[in-house]
Each structure stands twice: as structure tokens, then as C-alpha cells.
Amino acid sequence: MLRPSETPTREAKRLDGLWDFVTDPAGSGRAERWFAGPLAGSRQMPVPASYNDLVPGRDLHDFVGEVWYQRTVRVPRGWSERVVLRFDAATHAAEVWVNETSVAVHTGGYLPFEADITEHVTAGDEVRITVAVDNRLTWETIPPGFVEETSAGPRQRYFHDFFNYAGLHRSVWLSSTPLAHISDITVTTEADLSQAAPEGLVRYEVETQGAGGVVVDILDADGTVVASGTGARGAVAVPSARLWEPGEGHQYTLRARLVDDAGALLDEYPQKFGIRTVEIRGTEFLINGKPFYFTGFGMHEDHEIIGKGHSDAHMVHDFELLTWIGANSLRTSHYPYSEEVMDWADAHGVVVIDETPAVGMSRHVGQQLMGGTPIDSMFSPDRVGEGARAAHAQVIRELVARDKNRPSVVIWSIANEPDSDTEEAEAYFKPLFELTRALDPTRPVGFVNVMMCPEPVCRVSQYADLIMLNRYFGWYAQSGDIPLAEEALEAELVLWEKHGKPIIYTEFGADTLSGLHSLHGSMWTEEYQSELMDMTLRVFDRHDAVVGEQMWNFADFQTSRGIMRVDGNKKGAFTRDRKPKAVAHLLRARWTAL
Ligand code: GCB
């Protein structure tokens, strides 16, 4: 699936702005055919945004079920060929109607989907677009959860530590393509690193619908054609290639053209890509043959008011803060981020660990978050079972399809902190590793290990190309005791080193209330967060197998209510409104000097 784009043969129109909006607490919208006319009693709601925090009170914040969005749009007069409606994300599931016809059903809240609506629209006319968006998490969704019916109404329960924001979080697009068109492009690259000015090899595959032949050109950043090829698939050499490097996101464009027998243009699509290599050698993580050390954060798409809605202004500010602090990488914890974020990473050389939404699959963490209610097993037929695994496989397919051409993505993280110490977990994950590798043999595949499944009880790490660890020594364990935490961190790390694989610490940190201070190492203070950071980084520095440090979290973020959280998770280096805590200055001093 290609993104909407303006090319000589295509047009695109964003449908962002205010949409009509209603909640459907009784779940009667379909039976009452709400899509057949204007939504009764609607209020206006911005797209993109989470709806949860836009209205005071609990009703919308905690709403469980479907909400309906609607607007009309005029199809531009000249769009006489193919018309496509695309949602960059609808969290977590959606059904879409154009006038009275259902055109799309999609599950998975953080990945795009589209519908060819050509036969339902007429160029020049208005159409009504209605979307029912469901925020419910079940044992068959990724992430998992369940809805509890209580005397006070339904309650959404889940086992991950971020608020279940919902709605149309990203842009909606109406776009046109020719009838005969390019439908997908895959680019993989190699580089002969033995040369001073390496030759790049670009392999491509262009999928098309309808008659026509394919010609491709490779364009440099200034638009100069540096190589060309003919045919739907092939390989072309780029002499003296300029590599995509961390900190320097040099990209090329593969301009694919579909032409008829006489050579006339039928369709054109520009696909950006970078020439770079990623390789694991022993405990080293190499980008372009050079050892790479990850600095940065696990992040969240999370802001006051807009929740998980994408905003260019907030995105640019967050990336500027990453630059300021000297971070060279991020993990899209715990779901695929907006494509605008990925574009920025590609264009600016920010290295990305790209994660699926498979989070909240640990009985240990789940039990803590659920106020101590014991959960005997997560991976079982009546919990995370075959239904969830099918959904998990689907998000992996859709994530790889979406991000496969991105040079910034150097690792697929297929899950965050699942149980990995049981036979059931091993049986669940083994095929998902195989699937990811089959879909993309060019990138390392891993998952993020939870503290309660250490070496040697973890049965899943054996399938991963590298070890990614979330560790809270000094916070959840050895709470407040830095010397003991240092011992424990060190002792465990030594065990993981025996795998002979690179190790990235993808989380470590301490909840910290900005402005709270102590001279005696009190937890929750800015001093304690810095002290814990200092200790943790000191341990990493003693071990060559550690090739990355991504602190948890970039910024404070919202969670569900609970006795463990004070208006959300406070482990940010920045507050939720992006003011630096003391630790930000410590990290900045370290990372800008590396
Ligand atoms: C974790 C999770 C993350 C939580 C974090 C915490 O291990 O991966 O989602 O927010 O711990 O702060 O507890």
C-alpha cells in the first residue's frame, strides 16, 4: 500500500479538521443506520486527536465502545479515474461508510488502511464519510485487554502502562490515482564498504495494477538521475553512493513510472530510501560497517489535550529536544508511530527501533497494574491465544509493509515485555520471529525482555538477534538503594553477556516529580533520578556487549488511574509539557560528548 502523494499523475487531499462526533454507548448505531444521514446530536471533534481529554469530565475520558465521526467532502472535479480513502490510523478498530456503503473494516489502532471508493463517488459531487471507531481491547486484539461489565457500566481493563487513548489519531486522506497504477514499491540496498566511495546496490520491486511497463530512475537529493532501470523488478548500481548515516539522513528517491507501449506516462510514484547496511557481528551492532551505540529514549505519542493525536508542531519540538540532548535513536514504544515521525527520522538520521503494539502481555506486570489481582498465565487459549496470535501476525505484516523502505528502522521489536518464561510463550513467539524474518530478511529482529523473566528463565531470547532489556534496579527492585541496585544490575548483565549477542537497555529509570528535591537520596526527587542514571550508565560503561542505552521515558505521559501513578507515569527526562528535569542535563553532558 502506497501513501497518498502528489505526483504528475496523482492528487491528494487531507480531510483533517473538525468532524461531527457522537458516542454510541448503547451500540445501536449500526442497527439504526447512523451512516445513512447526519449524526443526530453531534458535537465537533478535531481530527487528528484523541477524543478523551477534549471535554471535561469522565464520560468521554473513560468511554468504552464505539464513537462515530462524520463529515462530507467534495470529490475534486478532475478526479475521473481511481479514488482512494485512507486512514493513517483509527484506534483501535474501525468501520467506514461512504454514503450508505460500508467500504472498509480494520482492526489495529496504529497502522494505516485504505479503501478504493471509486465506484461510490462521482467527481465533482459531495459524499458523506462516516467512521465508527471502537476503543475496546479484548483477548483477540493487540494490545490485549478485556471489558468488565460492572454495576456502573463497562470498564476497560488492560495490562500496559499508558492510557488507552482513542479516536482518529492521524490524518485521513482522499486521493486519486490513475486506473492503471503502481500499487507498491519495495527497495533494499547493499553497499560495498570495502571502497572509500562505496558502490551502492539498489534492488527494487514495483507492483502494478493494470497494463503497462515499469521504468525506474534513482534520483539524488538534488534531483539528479544517478541510475536507471527497466522492468518491475531489478537491481541497479549507484556509483560513489552517499550513505544514510546516523545523524545524517541522506536519502535517494526511486522514481517509478508506469508507461504504455508508446512510452506515455500512466502513473508515477516517488519512493524515498537510503543506502545503508545493518549487521550484527558478535556483540557489535554495525551500521555501515561501523559499531553503533544507541543513545536516546523509549518514547510515547502523548501530549496534553491531544493525547495520541499527531501534531507536526509537537513532533518537531520533540525531535529538537532529542537533538538538544544528544540522542541518536528512539524506540517506538509501544506501537508504530505516525508516518510523519518516521519521515523525520529518515530525513534526519535518527535511528529507530520499530515496535509493534504487542504490549501488556506479562502476567507479572499485569498483576501489578491490576491492583494485585493474580493472573496465572497470559498465554493460554482463553487469554492471549490463537486469536491474539493471528492479530499479532497481522500487525507485524502491516508494520513491515508500512516501514520496510525506511533507512531509519534498524531493528523490528515484535513485542514489549511479554511473559517469556513459559512453554506457551515460547510456542507463541517462535513462529512470529520466523514470520518477521520471512517478511524482511534485511533487519535484525528482537523483542523487549521484562525484568521478571531474566536469564536463564527466559525461553524466547534464543530466537532474537539481539537482547533488549527493560530493567528497573533501584526503582521497582532495590527501591531507593543505589549500591544494591548496582550490584544486581551488574550481576544480571554478566549472565546475559553469555548469549554473545549485542545488548541494548531499552528501559531504565525512576519516577520523578519535577521540582521535588532531596539531599538524602529520596525516591521521586530529581536528585534520585540523576543518581540512578549515573549508576546505571556506569555499569553499562563496564561492558562492551552493551551497545545501547535508551532511558525510560523521554517525557512524562498519561496512564490509567492507579496507586502506582501520580497523574500518569513520571519517569520522563522531560515533564509532559517538555520542561527538562535535572537528569536531562546529565544525559546531555554525556551524550553530546560521546
Ligand atoms: C516497563 C514498561 C513501560 C512502563 C515502565 C514503567 O517496563 O515497558 O511501558 O511504563 O515499565 O514505568 O513502569
Side-chain angles (χ1 to χ4, degrees):
M1 181 173 38
L2 295 174
R3 285 165 83 187
S5 178
E6 303 261 343
T7 84
T9 56
R10 294 172 174 234
E11 283 171 74
K13 177 170 167 161
R14 265 189 218 256
L15 304 187
D16 297 358
L18 295 179
W19 289 51
D20 295 333
F21 175 94
V22 291
T23 58
D24 184 7
S28 57
R30 275 189 190 68
E32 292 170 9
R33 295 173 51 82
W34 288 4
F35 47 81
L39 293 174
S42 65
R43 55 156 47 108
Q44 291 194 302
M45 199 53 79
V47 175
S50 301
Y51 57 75
N52 307 78
D53 291 353
L54 290 167
V55 179
R58 290 165 178 253
D59 289 354
L60 200 52
H61 185 75
D62 295 332
F63 181 77
V64 179
E66 280 186 321
V67 300
W68 290 60
Y69 289 85
Q70 188 178 71
R71 66 165 282 174
T72 55
V73 56
R74 186 170 297 281
V75 180
R77 224 171 26 162
W79 290 15
S80 54
E81 293 198 61
R82 185 168 166 268
V83 180
V84 178
L85 178 62
R86 173 185 163 113
F87 291 79
D88 284 352
T91 314
H92 295 281
E95 178 165 4
V96 182
W97 291 265
V98 169
N99 294 329
E100 299 192 23
T101 310
S102 172
V103 296
V105 173
H106 182 260
T107 306
Y110 307 96
L111 288 160
F113 61 97
E114 65 176 27
D116 180 335
I117 61 167
T118 313
E119 60 179 287
H120 309 294
V121 301
T122 307
D125 284 2
E126 267 195 346
V127 286
R128 183 178 55 251
I129 299 171
T130 309
V131 196
V133 181
D134 195 340
N135 70 350
R136 281 171 292 192
L137 298 172
T138 71
W139 290 117
E140 313 239 300
T141 60
I142 297 292
F146 65 92
V147 176
E148 186 182 339
E149 295 300 338
T150 75
S151 53
R155 298 288 185 262
Q156 176 72 61
R157 312 292 184 203
Y158 46 93
F159 317 97
H160 53 269
D161 184 37
F162 57 91
F163 186 75
N164 187 36
Y165 280 115
L168 295 177
H169 285 151
R170 300 175 190 163
S171 286
V172 182
W173 301 83
L174 195 65
S175 68
S176 72
T177 82
L179 284 177
H181 62 276
I182 297 165
S183 52
D184 200 14
I185 299 175
T186 307
V187 184
T188 56
T189 66
E190 290 165 32
D192 180 359
L193 300 168
S194 64
Q195 302 170 14
E199 178 168 286
L201 186 68
V202 178
R203 293 183 203 280
Y204 67 88
E205 192 172 339
V206 179
E207 288 175 33
T208 59
Q209 301 289 318
V214 173
V215 291
V216 306
D217 292 309
I218 309 291
L219 278 61
D220 202 343
D222 61 9
T224 312
V225 175
V226 295
S228 298
T230 312
R233 64 168 59 88
V236 291
V238 176
S240 304
R242 191 163 152 208
L243 300 179
W244 185 97
E245 299 269 12
E248 211 190 312
H250 184 80
Q251 292 187 89
Y252 290 89
T253 299
L254 181 139
R255 182 175 61 201
R257 286 182 169 144
L258 185 66
V259 293
D260 68 13
D261 292 343
L265 182 67
L266 298 172
D267 191 16
E268 177 171 324
Y269 194 88
Q271 177 63 54
K272 286 194 173 161
F273 67 96
I275 300 178
R276 58 114 183 85
T277 67
V278 172
E279 192 195 336
I280 287 177
R281 199 185 297 151
T283 58
E284 287 186 322
F285 194 97
L286 306 173
I287 298 182
N288 298 331
K290 290 176 279 192
F292 179 71
Y293 190 88
F294 296 73
T295 61
F297 301 94
M299 312 221 355
H300 264 301
E301 291 186 312
D302 175 273
H303 288 278
E304 302 255 339
I305 302 169
I306 59 174
K308 294 204 171 308
H310 171 76
S311 140
D312 279 346
H314 291 85
M315 174 190 75
V316 170
H317 186 236
D318 282 356
F319 273 111
E320 291 295 342
L321 292 181
L322 288 176
T323 304
W324 174 84
I325 207 166
N328 63 18
S329 72
L330 62 92
R331 175 169 64 118
T332 69
S333 42
H334 297 306
Y335 37 82
Y337 287 4
S338 78
E339 288 160 275
E340 290 84 350
V341 168
M342 304 304 284
D343 288 345
W344 183 285
D346 284 340
H348 295 82
V350 181
V351 174
V352 175
I353 302 176
D354 206 358
E355 189 157 278
T356 73
V359 57
M361 295 175 147
S362 157
R363 65 186 188 284
H364 309 281
V365 179
Q367 183 166 327
Q368 275 173 18
L369 288 171
M370 298 282 294
T373 316
I375 301 169
D376 49 355
S377 164
M378 265 295 174
F379 294 96
S380 64
D382 57 336
R383 292 215 175 93
V384 178
E386 275 314 309
R389 183 158 59 183
H392 200 155
Q394 187 58 22
V395 295
I396 291 174
R397 280 187 211 101
E398 291 181 24
L399 176 63
V400 174
R402 193 194 75 163
D403 289 348
K404 62 189 172 186
N405 295 324
R406 297 191 174 281
S408 60
V409 175
V410 300
I411 296 168
W412 301 115
S413 166
I414 64 171
N416 179 71
E417 296 197 339
D419 280 347
S420 59
D421 55 345
T422 63
E423 199 181 327
E424 292 76 16
E426 182 178 350
Y428 178 96
F429 277 104
K430 187 167 180 275
L432 295 179
F433 276 96
E434 287 162 3
L435 170 69
T436 314
R437 289 203 179 90
L439 292 167
D440 179 9
T442 73
R443 292 179 178 87
V445 185
F447 82 108
V448 172
N449 168 284
V450 68
M451 208 166 166
M452 295 81 157
C453 300
E455 169 61 30
V457 303
C458 178
R459 302 168 64 126
V460 175
S461 300
Q462 58 178 315
Y463 302 109
D465 295 313
L466 75 167
I467 307 292
M468 295 190 279
L469 303 174
N470 291 352
R471 290 300 180 267
Y472 286 95
F473 296 109
W475 189 255
Y476 295 121
Q478 294 82 35
S479 311
D481 195 326
I482 298 290
L484 284 185
E486 181 162 2
E487 277 177 29
L489 174 62
E490 174 77 37
E492 200 219 357
L493 173 47
V494 172
L495 299 179
W496 283 108
E497 277 177 323
K498 295 188 180 140
H499 282 255
K501 297 176 182 177
I503 300 170
I504 301 174
Y505 278 86
T506 37
E507 288 184 25
F508 47 94
D511 280 279
T512 304
L513 281 180
S514 171
L516 194 65
H517 294 283
S518 161
L519 288 171
H520 317 289
S522 292
M523 293 173 74
W524 294 88
T525 63
E526 295 197 30
E527 284 78 9
Y528 187 77
Q529 188 182 34
S530 295
E531 204 186 338
L532 186 143
M533 202 54 43
D534 230 12
M535 174 280 285
T536 307
L537 303 177
R538 178 162 77 225
V539 174
F540 296 167
D541 286 344
R542 296 198 285 258
H543 296 266
D544 289 342
V546 176
V547 301
E549 52 193 52
Q550 291 187 332
M551 180 197 156
W552 191 253
N553 186 285
F554 170 70
D556 295 346
F557 59 90
Q558 195 51 270
T559 63
S560 57
R561 299 181 188 92
I563 53 169
M564 306 269 287
R565 299 289 175 253
V566 185
D567 188 28
N569 186 307
K570 294 282 187 279
K571 295 195 186 69
F574 297 91
T575 57
R576 199 175 187 212
D577 61 354
R578 277 45 178 180
K579 303 287 191 304
K581 299 180 191 170
V583 76
H585 298 283
L586 181 155
L587 292 171
R588 181 168 191 246
R590 174 177 166 94
W591 291 345
T592 54
L594 278 181

